[in-house]
mmCIF file of all heavy atoms in Angstrom:
data_model
loop_
_atom_site.group_PDB
_atom_site.id
_atom_site.type_symbol
_atom_site.label_atom_id
_atom_site.label_comp_id
_atom_site.label_asym_id
_atom_site.label_seq_id
_atom_site.Cartn_x
_atom_site.Cartn_y
_atom_site.Cartn_z
ATOM 1 N N SER I 1 10.668 1.180 -1.030
ATOM 2 C CA SER I 1 10.312 2.061 -2.142
ATOM 3 C C SER I 1 9.256 1.404 -3.007
ATOM 4 O O SER I 1 9.231 0.177 -3.132
ATOM 5 C CB SER I 1 11.541 2.359 -3.000
ATOM 6 O OG SER I 1 12.545 3.021 -2.274
ATOM 7 N N CYS I 2 8.425 2.216 -3.593
ATOM 8 C CA CYS I 2 7.392 1.734 -4.502
ATOM 9 C C CYS I 2 7.353 2.656 -5.708
ATOM 10 O O CYS I 2 7.192 3.870 -5.553
ATOM 11 C CB CYS I 2 6.044 1.722 -3.801
ATOM 12 S SG CYS I 2 4.633 1.435 -4.888
ATOM 13 N N THR I 3 7.507 2.096 -6.873
ATOM 14 C CA THR I 3 7.373 2.895 -8.090
ATOM 15 C C THR I 3 6.051 2.562 -8.755
ATOM 16 O O THR I 3 5.616 1.404 -8.782
ATOM 17 C CB THR I 3 8.535 2.644 -9.058
ATOM 18 O OG1 THR I 3 8.587 1.246 -9.368
ATOM 19 C CG2 THR I 3 9.851 3.071 -8.446
ATOM 20 N N VAL I 4 5.414 3.602 -9.261
ATOM 21 C CA VAL I 4 4.088 3.482 -9.857
ATOM 22 C C VAL I 4 4.186 3.883 -11.318
ATOM 23 O O VAL I 4 4.727 4.943 -11.634
ATOM 24 C CB VAL I 4 3.081 4.378 -9.115
ATOM 25 C CG1 VAL I 4 1.689 4.221 -9.705
ATOM 26 C CG2 VAL I 4 3.086 4.068 -7.629
ATOM 27 N N SER I 5 3.630 3.060 -12.210
ATOM 28 C CA SER I 5 3.757 3.342 -13.633
ATOM 29 C C SER I 5 2.881 4.501 -14.079
ATOM 30 O O SER I 5 3.170 5.144 -15.086
ATOM 31 C CB SER I 5 3.417 2.090 -14.456
ATOM 32 O OG SER I 5 2.077 1.701 -14.221
ATOM 33 N N GLY I 6 1.818 4.777 -13.332
ATOM 34 C CA GLY I 6 0.929 5.869 -13.683
ATOM 35 C C GLY I 6 1.196 7.102 -12.842
ATOM 36 O O GLY I 6 2.127 7.131 -12.035
ATOM 37 N N THR I 7 0.374 8.114 -13.009
ATOM 38 C CA THR I 7 0.542 9.339 -12.240
ATOM 39 C C THR I 7 0.091 9.151 -10.798
ATOM 40 O O THR I 7 -0.824 8.382 -10.512
ATOM 41 C CB THR I 7 -0.244 10.489 -12.864
ATOM 42 O OG1 THR I 7 -0.003 11.686 -12.094
ATOM 43 C CG2 THR I 7 -1.746 10.210 -12.878
ATOM 44 N N LEU I 8 0.761 9.865 -9.894
ATOM 45 C CA LEU I 8 0.375 9.855 -8.486
ATOM 46 C C LEU I 8 -0.426 11.093 -8.109
ATOM 47 O O LEU I 8 -0.966 11.154 -7.010
ATOM 48 C CB LEU I 8 1.608 9.781 -7.594
ATOM 49 C CG LEU I 8 2.316 8.429 -7.477
ATOM 50 C CD1 LEU I 8 3.445 8.516 -6.473
ATOM 51 C CD2 LEU I 8 1.335 7.339 -7.088
ATOM 52 N N PHE I 9 -0.493 12.037 -9.029
ATOM 53 C CA PHE I 9 -1.192 13.281 -8.712
ATOM 54 C C PHE I 9 -2.671 12.992 -8.471
ATOM 55 O O PHE I 9 -3.342 12.330 -9.256
ATOM 56 C CB PHE I 9 -1.006 14.297 -9.840
ATOM 57 C CG PHE I 9 0.368 14.873 -9.882
ATOM 58 C CD1 PHE I 9 1.337 14.326 -10.715
ATOM 59 C CD2 PHE I 9 0.715 15.943 -9.087
ATOM 60 C CE1 PHE I 9 2.624 14.845 -10.747
ATOM 61 C CE2 PHE I 9 1.998 16.474 -9.118
ATOM 62 C CZ PHE I 9 2.951 15.925 -9.947
ATOM 63 N N GLY I 10 -3.170 13.482 -7.343
ATOM 64 C CA GLY I 10 -4.576 13.296 -7.000
ATOM 65 C C GLY I 10 -4.914 11.955 -6.400
ATOM 66 O O GLY I 10 -6.091 11.650 -6.197
ATOM 67 N N ILE I 11 -3.908 11.143 -6.113
ATOM 68 C CA ILE I 11 -4.119 9.785 -5.618
ATOM 69 C C ILE I 11 -3.648 9.660 -4.170
ATOM 70 O O ILE I 11 -2.512 10.027 -3.859
ATOM 71 C CB ILE I 11 -3.369 8.754 -6.478
ATOM 72 C CG1 ILE I 11 -3.787 8.860 -7.947
ATOM 73 C CG2 ILE I 11 -3.608 7.346 -5.950
ATOM 74 C CD1 ILE I 11 -5.205 8.467 -8.234
ATOM 75 N N TYR I 12 -4.526 9.157 -3.299
ATOM 76 C CA TYR I 12 -4.095 8.772 -1.968
ATOM 77 C C TYR I 12 -3.349 7.442 -2.103
ATOM 78 O O TYR I 12 -3.795 6.537 -2.809
ATOM 79 C CB TYR I 12 -5.286 8.553 -1.034
ATOM 80 C CG TYR I 12 -5.959 9.791 -0.516
ATOM 81 C CD1 TYR I 12 -5.977 10.975 -1.240
ATOM 82 C CD2 TYR I 12 -6.623 9.768 0.702
ATOM 83 C CE1 TYR I 12 -6.623 12.103 -0.749
ATOM 84 C CE2 TYR I 12 -7.277 10.886 1.205
ATOM 85 C CZ TYR I 12 -7.275 12.050 0.467
ATOM 86 O OH TYR I 12 -7.924 13.163 0.955
ATOM 87 N N MET I 13 -2.218 7.337 -1.398
ATOM 88 C CA MET I 13 -1.429 6.109 -1.473
ATOM 89 C C MET I 13 -1.247 5.507 -0.084
ATOM 90 O O MET I 13 -1.370 6.207 0.930
ATOM 91 C CB MET I 13 -0.064 6.391 -2.095
ATOM 92 C CG MET I 13 -0.113 6.750 -3.570
ATOM 93 S SD MET I 13 -0.721 5.389 -4.608
ATOM 94 C CE MET I 13 0.554 4.160 -4.363
ATOM 95 N N ALA I 14 -0.941 4.236 -0.051
ATOM 96 C CA ALA I 14 -0.788 3.555 1.228
ATOM 97 C C ALA I 14 0.195 2.400 1.108
ATOM 98 O O ALA I 14 0.430 1.890 0.013
ATOM 99 C CB ALA I 14 -2.135 3.035 1.714
ATOM 100 N N TRP I 15 0.741 2.027 2.242
ATOM 101 C CA TRP I 15 1.502 0.793 2.381
ATOM 102 C C TRP I 15 0.643 -0.187 3.182
ATOM 103 O O TRP I 15 0.029 0.190 4.183
ATOM 104 C CB TRP I 15 2.820 1.030 3.097
ATOM 105 C CG TRP I 15 3.867 1.614 2.210
ATOM 106 C CD1 TRP I 15 4.178 2.929 2.051
ATOM 107 C CD2 TRP I 15 4.758 0.891 1.352
ATOM 108 N NE1 TRP I 15 5.192 3.078 1.145
ATOM 109 C CE2 TRP I 15 5.576 1.838 0.699
ATOM 110 C CE3 TRP I 15 4.949 -0.468 1.061
ATOM 111 C CZ2 TRP I 15 6.555 1.478 -0.211
ATOM 112 C CZ3 TRP I 15 5.921 -0.818 0.159
ATOM 113 C CH2 TRP I 15 6.722 0.140 -0.474
ATOM 114 N N TYR I 16 0.637 -1.425 2.729
ATOM 115 C CA TYR I 16 -0.084 -2.504 3.379
ATOM 116 C C TYR I 16 0.937 -3.595 3.706
ATOM 117 O O TYR I 16 2.020 -3.638 3.137
ATOM 118 C CB TYR I 16 -1.135 -3.090 2.439
ATOM 119 C CG TYR I 16 -2.146 -2.105 1.889
ATOM 120 C CD1 TYR I 16 -1.808 -1.239 0.858
ATOM 121 C CD2 TYR I 16 -3.443 -2.057 2.382
ATOM 122 C CE1 TYR I 16 -2.734 -0.335 0.333
ATOM 123 C CE2 TYR I 16 -4.378 -1.176 1.865
ATOM 124 C CZ TYR I 16 -4.004 -0.320 0.838
ATOM 125 O OH TYR I 16 -4.926 0.564 0.328
ATOM 126 N N ARG I 17 0.547 -4.512 4.586
ATOM 127 C CA ARG I 17 1.405 -5.664 4.849
ATOM 128 C C ARG I 17 0.555 -6.881 5.147
ATOM 129 O O ARG I 17 -0.590 -6.768 5.605
ATOM 130 C CB ARG I 17 2.375 -5.397 6.002
ATOM 131 C CG ARG I 17 1.726 -5.291 7.366
ATOM 132 C CD ARG I 17 2.771 -4.907 8.422
ATOM 133 N NE ARG I 17 2.180 -4.802 9.758
ATOM 134 C CZ ARG I 17 2.840 -4.331 10.814
ATOM 135 N NH1 ARG I 17 4.112 -3.932 10.702
ATOM 136 N NH2 ARG I 17 2.237 -4.258 11.991
ATOM 137 N N GLN I 18 1.143 -8.032 4.872
ATOM 138 C CA GLN I 18 0.480 -9.294 5.171
ATOM 139 C C GLN I 18 1.487 -10.236 5.795
ATOM 140 O O GLN I 18 2.465 -10.624 5.146
ATOM 141 C CB GLN I 18 -0.133 -9.912 3.915
ATOM 142 C CG GLN I 18 -0.975 -11.133 4.207
ATOM 143 C CD GLN I 18 -1.825 -11.548 3.037
ATOM 144 O OE1 GLN I 18 -1.566 -11.215 1.887
ATOM 145 N NE2 GLN I 18 -2.894 -12.301 3.319
ATOM 146 N N ALA I 19 1.223 -10.588 7.048
ATOM 147 C CA ALA I 19 2.057 -11.539 7.764
ATOM 148 C C ALA I 19 1.521 -12.947 7.512
ATOM 149 O O ALA I 19 0.332 -13.114 7.196
ATOM 150 C CB ALA I 19 2.052 -11.221 9.254
ATOM 151 N N PRO I 20 2.356 -13.974 7.680
ATOM 152 C CA PRO I 20 1.897 -15.353 7.457
ATOM 153 C C PRO I 20 0.674 -15.679 8.304
ATOM 154 O O PRO I 20 0.658 -15.420 9.511
ATOM 155 C CB PRO I 20 3.108 -16.179 7.870
ATOM 156 C CG PRO I 20 4.275 -15.274 7.679
ATOM 157 C CD PRO I 20 3.776 -13.909 8.017
ATOM 158 N N GLY I 21 -0.352 -16.202 7.659
ATOM 159 C CA GLY I 21 -1.553 -16.610 8.369
ATOM 160 C C GLY I 21 -2.470 -15.484 8.797
ATOM 161 O O GLY I 21 -3.453 -15.714 9.508
ATOM 162 N N LYS I 22 -2.159 -14.267 8.372
ATOM 163 C CA LYS I 22 -2.972 -13.122 8.775
ATOM 164 C C LYS I 22 -3.503 -12.382 7.545
ATOM 165 O O LYS I 22 -2.996 -12.531 6.445
ATOM 166 C CB LYS I 22 -2.150 -12.156 9.639
ATOM 167 C CG LYS I 22 -1.719 -12.738 10.971
ATOM 168 C CD LYS I 22 -1.066 -11.679 11.836
ATOM 169 C CE LYS I 22 -0.707 -12.237 13.199
ATOM 170 N NZ LYS I 22 -0.087 -11.197 14.064
ATOM 171 N N GLN I 23 -4.523 -11.589 7.780
ATOM 172 C CA GLN I 23 -5.081 -10.792 6.691
ATOM 173 C C GLN I 23 -4.185 -9.585 6.397
ATOM 174 O O GLN I 23 -3.459 -9.104 7.272
ATOM 175 C CB GLN I 23 -6.487 -10.309 7.061
ATOM 176 C CG GLN I 23 -7.533 -11.408 7.075
ATOM 177 C CD GLN I 23 -8.955 -10.859 7.121
ATOM 178 O OE1 GLN I 23 -9.183 -9.731 7.533
ATOM 179 N NE2 GLN I 23 -9.912 -11.662 6.696
ATOM 180 N N ARG I 24 -4.263 -9.123 5.163
ATOM 181 C CA ARG I 24 -3.520 -7.932 4.793
ATOM 182 C C ARG I 24 -4.103 -6.740 5.542
ATOM 183 O O ARG I 24 -5.312 -6.613 5.690
ATOM 184 C CB ARG I 24 -3.624 -7.699 3.280
ATOM 185 C CG ARG I 24 -2.548 -6.838 2.709
ATOM 186 C CD ARG I 24 -2.531 -6.903 1.191
ATOM 187 N NE ARG I 24 -2.515 -8.276 0.691
ATOM 188 C CZ ARG I 24 -2.187 -8.589 -0.559
ATOM 189 N NH1 ARG I 24 -1.847 -7.645 -1.414
ATOM 190 N NH2 ARG I 24 -2.217 -9.835 -0.944
ATOM 191 N N GLU I 25 -3.214 -5.858 6.024
ATOM 192 C CA GLU I 25 -3.662 -4.695 6.769
ATOM 193 C C GLU I 25 -2.975 -3.433 6.254
ATOM 194 O O GLU I 25 -1.859 -3.479 5.744
ATOM 195 C CB GLU I 25 -3.359 -4.865 8.272
ATOM 196 C CG GLU I 25 -1.902 -5.004 8.620
ATOM 197 C CD GLU I 25 -1.663 -5.212 10.109
ATOM 198 O OE1 GLU I 25 -2.615 -5.116 10.918
ATOM 199 O OE2 GLU I 25 -0.496 -5.462 10.485
ATOM 200 N N LEU I 26 -3.670 -2.317 6.403
ATOM 201 C CA LEU I 26 -3.117 -1.030 6.001
ATOM 202 C C LEU I 26 -2.204 -0.525 7.106
ATOM 203 O O LEU I 26 -2.624 -0.441 8.264
ATOM 204 C CB LEU I 26 -4.249 -0.038 5.721
ATOM 205 C CG LEU I 26 -3.875 1.257 5.016
ATOM 206 C CD1 LEU I 26 -5.041 1.782 4.193
ATOM 207 C CD2 LEU I 26 -3.411 2.314 5.998
ATOM 208 N N VAL I 27 -0.987 -0.190 6.742
ATOM 209 C CA VAL I 27 0.017 0.222 7.715
ATOM 210 C C VAL I 27 0.143 1.747 7.777
ATOM 211 O O VAL I 27 0.253 2.321 8.861
ATOM 212 C CB VAL I 27 1.380 -0.386 7.346
ATOM 213 C CG1 VAL I 27 2.485 0.126 8.247
ATOM 214 C CG2 VAL I 27 1.310 -1.908 7.396
#
């Protein structure tokens, strides 16, 4: 879960991840 303090209306959202030793990637 992810809570956002601002509005989400009109916003594209995404989950990203970063494994040890690797670059962050969009999931």
Side-chain angles (χ1 to χ4, degrees):
S1 299
C2 169
T3 57
V4 182
S5 62
T7 182
L8 284 184
F9 287 95
I11 303 293
Y12 284 29
M13 291 296 296
W15 281 95
Y16 304 77
R17 69 185 180 188
Q18 187 167 21
K22 295 187 177 181
Q23 289 193 338
R24 201 167 309 196
E25 62 182 353
L26 192 151
V27 174

